[in-house]
Amino acid sequence: MATLKNQTTCPYCGVGCGVNTTHDDQRIIAVSGDEDHPANQGRLCVKGSALHETTAMEGRLLKPRVDGREHSWNTTLDTLATRLEGIIAAHGPESVAMYLSGQLLTEDYYVANKLMKGFIGSAHVDTNSRLCMSSTVVGYKRAFGGDLQPCSYEDIDHAELMVLVGSNAAWNHPILYQRMVAAKNTNPDIKVVLIDPRRTATADLADLHLALKPGTDALIFNAILAALAERNALDADYIDAHTEGFDAALSAAQTSAGDLAQVAREADVPLIDLEQLVDWFCSTERTLTFFSQGINQSSSGTDKVNSIINCHLATGRLGRPGMGPFSLTGQPNAMGGREVGGLANQLAAHMDFSQSAFVGRVGRFWQAPNMATREGYKAVDLFEAIERGEIKAVWIMATNPLVSLPDANRVRRALEKCELVIVSECMANTDTLELADIVLPASGWSEKNGTVTNSERRISRQRGLVPPPGDAKHDWWIICELAKRMGYRDTFDYASPAAIFREHARLSGFENNRTRGFDISGMAELSDLAYDSLKPIQWPVNEQAPKGTPRLFADGHFFTPSNRARLLPVTPQAPKQQPSSEYPLIVNSGRIRDQWHTMTRTGRAARLLQHHAEPFIEIHPDDARRFQVEHLQLAELQNELGRYRGRIRITDQQRPGEVFIPMHWTRQFTQTGISGSLFAPEVDPFSGQPESKQGRATLKPLHMCWEARLLVREERSIEDHWWTRVPLNHCTSYRLADTEAVENWRDWCESHLGVPSLWLDDQAHKRFRAAGIHNNRLDWILLVEPSAELPDLAWLDSCFDVEIDLDTRRQLLDAKAPGEQATGAVICSCFQVREPDIISAVIEGADSAQALGEQLKCGTNCGSCVPELKELVKVHGVEKSA
Ligand code: SF4
């Protein structure tokens, strides 16, 4: 079979790294960073480096299904069209909705919006990007007259001050973070400030960390604006020539944050640190302010975004190298979705429902018979409308709302009641799929063909390199085939994604006349060949900028009616979900380093689950004492909405009174670990973005009688105990635990696993070990302990891949190969370097992350683990000197 090489784009975060692939005509064999892609210049983080490990066929959804039975595409699409038409005829077009995803390609997104907003006539099309950056969209639109991100990654190379607010870039935008590290290494005079309640890995780069009280970000930026005025650091000429609204914005800032000492008290940060931030901000022309979910996922996220932009407009710091307000987008194509109107309050090509002229223009261009004329429901409202029975049919594509939306239990109830749930998905097992009436198998990364746009407005190709498995089809094809069956054959008769892209590009330039910032009309005539070989390019791409545009607003022209940028008066608001005597802890949620969203893909790569293998609760030592929980003990957070179980991790990186939980775990990976269960559906009034950074709960320890590790060749359902699942290379590993004792473990084995081939029952130490061997192959092994101190996995996993000889048989219940040392958590996922080896190297003299890298290679690829390496040097270097 011939081996081919190609270029595509990573499907995970908004950095949008270019990926070189080696593949044959069936599978991706290897990946590496694309040196020619400007976003990453040859580097990949650990998630990107493991892409080829997530593309195996096992677990893929292969056949369309209707009401639980497999059917051909013809039958399935006919049935879908008939059912949708029936619902529309009975209840009107607004009884139908779509819920899309930043994982879709721009071309998929474009036809989905066109079908719903122009032809079915419903604007109830929202996307999981609503949960990610919709507050930024509104903030940019209010300030600039369009959803226009002004900066470019190359600005990092020019900045003198980088402020990261609500952004753990070290874990969530790792390659961009590495660029920040490189910039600071080149010029140590560059100042970096982190504003975040948690001391995250990003703090490692920071000269200053403001661990502020959650939700007080706008107060800090109002304080900066007031100080800029007081210290004469404004750019009066820029304000006069290019902005409006300055006086009102300044007045609001002075009223709420005119007194730095008072702000420091309210934000709970040391005054000296706040003064340092203000000094640097006032005196540094080349200032970049990065922000992401810590700002957006708030009930006042839009105002927070505008409080940041205000400071840049008041100093004229945008449109030039090394400066600007820079939203780091979470998903690979959230920006592409925004371009085509993927949000319920948007129309295509950066138009919306605010003017009838926009609706008319898009309708004319599409020759649409049923243009929606008003905004649809945003994500939270949309699922509430489903629960009320107002929306009768919902089509969910490439996302898992049962896990990712707030009040996850209510979302489940809504979908259970919905008349018609359609799910397009590439994986066979997701929480949302369990509730689908019609299941549509979709192509995935390396199969899909189209474009994505990253955080710096750069459009890149995601290429179809291998064929989709089974009957899986591309999303754009599925949508167009349905549209044809609903009577729109001519308008949805696209030959390829290239044809869709050309139409999208034409619409962006249609009656534009420099009134809309998003304009890629320069690519409206791309041939199929030119589309296929398209190099990454930053929009706008038009007659004036045929090679793209690294930076917006260099000429001071904005897209508001007056062509001036707007400063907004911001009155800081407290989060809606406040702790109470019953629920005294603030709950924060977010991503972890090696996982992506709901783990449907990253959860398939064994090495990506070795950094954190189960849901956890990070808590300050004071709170651990207060709630009587111990490090690594299982515990439960609970509030009026739901429960979340995870393992306690005591850390002073948390503020007292606040806990952090990861957002990734689903019912496919654990019993009770959905973070969304704890968050109320409180949203920002302008953007509709949920407040996922502040919930509230109480905490109780779970006093487990026993913990066990079970490794099995075939996956099992073990619902009668607490469990988490980790796929390994040759088997599946479960951790099990319970507060109730098991009377007879041998009986338990027989009822859950089969008759043990060998076992060891050490009742005095509450320890039981057993294994099932069939035809000299290991089928399962169970290791029960009274505590969480269970043996490690690597050797046991390898036993599922070999014949079990007499020696191995003797070792099995010892759970490790002869002479094997204790293993521990994998810190460097790229080179699989474990914590005990790193600690030994530190004790033996390695005194820096660099020295560890030279000795063990850890931290020398993507660099994401460098902050953890430094922490280990800090902690265990003391042991050496002691
Ligand atoms: S930084 Fe983001 S886009 Fe780049 S390789 Fe990692 S996950 Fe993929």
Side-chain angles (χ1 to χ4, degrees):
M1 213 177 279
T3 301
L4 305 165
K5 295 200 178 292
N6 222 316
Q7 280 85 41
T8 187
T9 312
C10 175
Y12 296 130
C13 82
V15 179
C17 296
V19 179
N20 290 324
T21 56
T22 305
H23 60 101
D24 58 26
D25 58 7
Q26 290 302 318
R27 68 195 178 102
I28 305 295
I29 298 164
V31 296
S32 62
D34 178 356
E35 297 80 3
D36 297 329
H37 198 293
N40 56 318
Q41 301 166 334
R43 304 191 78 159
L44 288 180
C45 79
V46 62
K47 291 187 286 286
S49 309
L51 270 167
H52 58 299
E53 297 167 36
T54 65
T55 54
M57 289 305 114
E58 298 93 61
R60 287 294 300 269
L61 188 59
L62 301 175
K63 295 270 182 205
R65 283 201 310 262
V66 178
D67 299 331
R69 293 188 56 194
E70 289 182 355
H71 286 283
S72 68
W73 272 108
N74 250 337
T75 308
T76 305
L77 289 166
D78 287 348
T79 309
L80 176 53
T82 306
R83 289 196 189 175
L84 281 178
E85 283 168 343
I87 288 171
I88 292 166
H91 306 285
E94 293 196 337
S95 61
V96 173
M98 276 187 184
Y99 188 60
L100 310 177
S101 160
Q103 302 287 307
L104 293 173
L105 305 187
T106 301
E107 293 75 2
D108 304 323
Y109 249 130
Y110 180 86
V111 290
N113 270 283
K114 181 175 172 181
L115 174 62
M116 283 293 284
K117 288 178 182 156
F119 290 76
I120 289 178
S122 166
H124 299 321
V125 187
D126 216 41
T127 156
N128 63 6
S129 300
R130 176 75 59 198
L131 319 179
C132 179
M133 37 35 61
S134 54
S135 294
T136 292
V137 173
V138 181
Y140 279 159
K141 282 176 79 172
R142 294 201 303 190
F144 304 143
D147 176 16
L148 302 164
Q149 197 289 102
C151 309
S152 197
Y153 294 163
E154 69 180 43
D155 285 321
I156 292 169
D157 309 333
H158 302 285
E160 290 168 347
L161 170 64
M162 292 189 273
V163 181
L164 293 107
V165 49
S167 170
N168 182 10
W171 280 17
N172 300 324
H173 300 90
I175 296 303
L176 215 54
Y177 176 76
Q178 290 305 322
R179 193 159 177 167
M180 297 174 199
V181 172
K184 191 158 167 64
N185 285 343
T186 306
N187 177 8
D189 291 338
I190 291 173
K191 298 291 181 244
V192 179
V193 180
L194 175 67
I195 304 175
D196 194 315
R198 301 167 62 215
R199 197 173 80 236
T200 62
T202 303
D204 181 53
L205 184 65
D207 300 281
L208 177 67
H209 173 208
L210 267 67
L212 78 178
K213 181 180 169 189
T216 56
D217 320 73
L219 197 61
I220 300 278
F221 281 89
N222 271 3
I224 292 174
L225 182 60
L228 284 163
E230 194 183 309
R231 299 178 190 197
N232 234 356
L234 300 167
D235 185 337
D237 291 344
Y238 190 90
I239 293 169
D240 283 349
H242 300 299
T243 74
E244 60 192 18
F246 171 75
D247 290 342
L250 178 60
S251 169
Q254 287 169 329
T255 303
S256 60
D259 177 354
L260 271 192
Q262 177 68 18
V263 171
R265 276 193 298 278
E266 287 179 32
D268 194 21
V269 294
L271 176 59
I272 190 168
D273 289 351
L274 182 59
E275 281 173 339
Q276 180 67 85
L277 167 65
V278 167
D279 283 351
W280 283 340
F281 205 103
C282 287
S283 61
T284 313
E285 175 79 348
R286 293 183 177 219
T287 296
L288 272 175
T289 307
F290 297 98
F291 53 99
S292 37
Q293 269 52 313
I295 290 294
N296 287 317
Q297 291 180 333
S298 158
S299 53
S300 58
T302 302
D303 278 352
K304 288 180 182 176
V305 170
N306 284 107
S307 72
I308 294 168
I309 297 174
N310 283 348
C311 295
H312 281 269
L313 288 173
T315 48
R317 291 181 194 154
L318 73 171
R320 289 179 286 143
M323 60 184 77
F326 200 153
S327 150
L328 298 182
T329 305
Q331 297 199 74
N333 199 30
M335 180 85 81
R338 286 146 72 174
E339 291 159 12
V340 301
L343 295 161
N345 48 331
Q346 290 181 327
L347 279 168
H350 277 201
M351 286 172 274
D352 58 29
F353 294 94
S354 63
Q355 297 180 31
S356 56
F358 290 159
V359 178
R361 183 180 297 139
V362 175
R364 245 187 349 274
F365 181 85
W366 280 343
Q367 299 180 10
N370 299 312
M371 271 306 287
T373 54
R374 57 178 182 173
E375 287 185 8
Y377 286 132
K378 301 179 179 105
V380 168
D381 296 339
L382 191 150
F383 282 86
E384 285 177 3
I386 293 172
E387 194 187 21
R388 285 196 303 274
E390 187 182 326
I391 287 175
K392 310 279 183 194
V394 61
W395 187 348
I396 298 164
M397 284 182 214
T399 185
N400 212 350
L402 276 191
V403 182
S404 47
L405 275 167
D407 200 357
N409 295 332
R410 186 174 181 187
V411 175
R412 173 171 283 273
R413 288 196 299 274
L415 286 184
E416 280 168 352
K417 282 168 67 177
C418 188
E419 186 175 327
L420 179 60
V421 177
I422 309 139
V423 178
S424 298
E425 178 55 67
C426 44
M427 304 311 298
N429 296 310
T430 74
D431 292 17
T432 303
L433 257 186
E434 291 168 7
L435 300 180
D437 301 293
I438 297 187
V439 172
L440 306 170
S443 53
W445 179 82
S446 76
E447 300 148 13
K448 289 170 83 75
N449 191 17
T451 55
V452 290
T453 309
N454 72 1
S455 294
E456 59 166 356
R457 290 173 283 104
R458 191 178 296 279
I459 298 171
S460 297
R461 291 278 284 112
Q462 227 188 66
R463 293 189 168 86
L465 308 169
V466 294
D471 286 350
K473 296 284 187 192
H474 303 311
D475 289 294
W476 70 267
W477 181 91
I478 301 170
I479 296 159
C480 291
E481 286 302 305
L482 175 76
K484 290 175 193 170
R485 282 165 172 79
M486 294 180 78
Y488 311 122
R489 175 161 296 280
D490 293 347
T491 349
F492 285 86
D493 197 18
Y494 300 101
S496 65
I500 300 171
F501 183 84
R502 284 190 287 269
E503 183 178 307
H504 162 54
R506 271 201 309 282
L507 176 54
S508 75
F510 183 61
E511 298 176 1
N512 187 326
N513 304 320
R514 229 185 156 210
T515 56
R516 306 191 302 273
F518 176 69
D519 180 359
I520 56 167
S521 53
M523 295 191 282
E525 304 300 328
L526 279 188
S527 65
D528 285 1
L529 202 64
Y531 173 82
D532 201 38
S533 56
L534 184 68
K535 297 274 182 233
I537 186 165
Q538 284 172 287
W539 60 257
V541 183
N542 52 20
E543 227 171 61
Q544 295 76 39
K547 296 196 170 152
T549 313
R551 219 164 271 114
L552 299 181
F553 312 132
D555 56 0
H557 175 94
F558 295 89
F559 294 87
T560 55
S562 63
N563 296 132
R564 288 168 170 266
R566 287 189 207 109
L567 288 94
L568 275 288
V570 171
T571 302
Q573 306 285 331
K576 295 258 173 61
Q577 298 169 78
Q578 287 295 333
S580 63
S581 54
E582 198 176 355
Y583 304 118
L585 287 166
I586 290 175
V587 182
N588 183 359
S589 69
R591 293 181 170 137
I592 59 171
R593 194 188 75 190
D594 291 0
Q595 289 302 325
W596 177 255
H597 280 195
T598 58
M599 296 165 61
T600 47
R601 285 174 301 181
T602 44
R604 311 176 85 202
R607 71 171 155 132
L608 295 183
L609 268 161
Q610 293 185 25
H611 184 236
H612 286 296
E614 47 186 20
F616 58 85
I617 301 165
E618 286 188 340
I619 187 168
H620 189 272
D622 292 351
D623 292 321
R625 276 190 291 277
R626 181 175 161 208
F627 290 92
Q628 299 182 337
V629 291
E630 290 174 15
H631 192 58
L632 298 183
Q633 182 178 18
L634 285 165
E636 181 177 285
L637 288 164
Q638 180 258 325
N639 64 16
E640 65 270 51
L641 301 168
R643 297 181 301 152
Y644 169 99
R645 289 180 168 187
R647 203 170 288 281
I648 291 289
R649 301 177 69 86
I650 298 176
T651 168
D652 61 5
Q653 296 172 358
Q654 280 296 125
R655 286 166 49 96
E658 298 164 20
V659 295
F660 174 81
I661 57 175
M663 57 166 269
H664 306 287
W665 269 267
T666 71
R667 284 156 61 120
Q668 310 303 317
F669 288 90
T670 193
Q671 188 194 46
T672 317
I674 296 178
S675 63
S677 307
L678 293 179
F679 292 94
E682 297 287 356
V683 299
D684 177 275
F686 306 105
S687 69
Q689 177 148 4
E691 187 178 67
S692 305
K693 290 288 178 196
Q694 177 149 338
R696 61 182 188 173
T698 188
L699 179 70
K700 67 171 184 191
L702 296 170
H703 296 290
M704 297 298 183
C705 269
W706 55 268
E707 296 221 17
R709 191 184 293 291
L710 170 66
L711 276 67
V712 287
R713 185 176 294 282
E714 305 289 340
E715 286 183 22
R716 310 289 166 112
S717 168
I718 301 175
E719 290 291 341
D720 43 353
H721 309 292
W722 175 85
W723 61 272
T724 58
R725 180 176 73 86
V726 175
L728 299 179
N729 292 319
H730 308 293
C731 66
T732 300
S733 161
Y734 293 86
R735 271 190 99 132
L736 309 172
D738 211 317
T739 50
E740 309 263 318
V742 170
E743 293 247 319
N744 185 321
W745 276 106
R746 205 165 172 287
D747 290 351
W748 188 96
C749 287
E750 287 192 22
S751 65
H752 288 82
L753 303 164
V755 179
S757 311
L758 47 153
W759 71 93
L760 178 159
D761 195 355
D762 178 3
Q763 293 191 3
H765 296 98
K766 294 189 177 171
R767 183 174 289 145
F768 178 86
R769 295 184 172 189
I773 300 168
H774 187 63
N775 288 339
N776 290 335
R777 310 290 290 188
L778 184 59
D779 273 350
W780 56 267
I781 180 162
L782 175 73
L783 311 162
V784 183
E785 300 285 327
S787 71
E789 296 299 315
L790 292 160
D792 209 79
L793 301 174
W795 180 75
L796 286 173
D797 181 32
S798 71
C799 290
F800 283 82
D801 196 37
V802 295
E803 281 220 342
I804 303 296
D805 59 21
L806 212 55
D807 285 345
T808 314
R809 215 177 158 95
R810 282 195 201 106
Q811 286 304 134
L812 265 180
L813 298 187
D814 224 15
K816 62 177 193 281
E820 187 179 286
Q821 297 299 306
T823 50
V826 172
I827 300 295
C828 172
S829 298
C830 295
F831 294 110
Q832 293 287 289
V833 187
R834 290 172 183 271
E835 192 173 28
D837 297 326
I838 295 167
I839 293 171
S840 301
V842 172
I843 291 171
E844 281 161 24
D847 57 1
S848 64
Q850 193 185 350
L852 285 167
E854 282 161 15
Q855 200 171 325
L856 302 170
K857 287 184 84 176
C858 48
T860 57
N861 183 37
C862 76
S864 302
C865 63
V866 168
E868 284 158 278
L869 297 179
K870 287 186 176 174
E871 190 65 24
L872 289 172
V873 169
K874 203 166 94 191
V875 172
H876 297 282
V878 177
E879 287 173 30
K880 178 190 69 177
S881 45

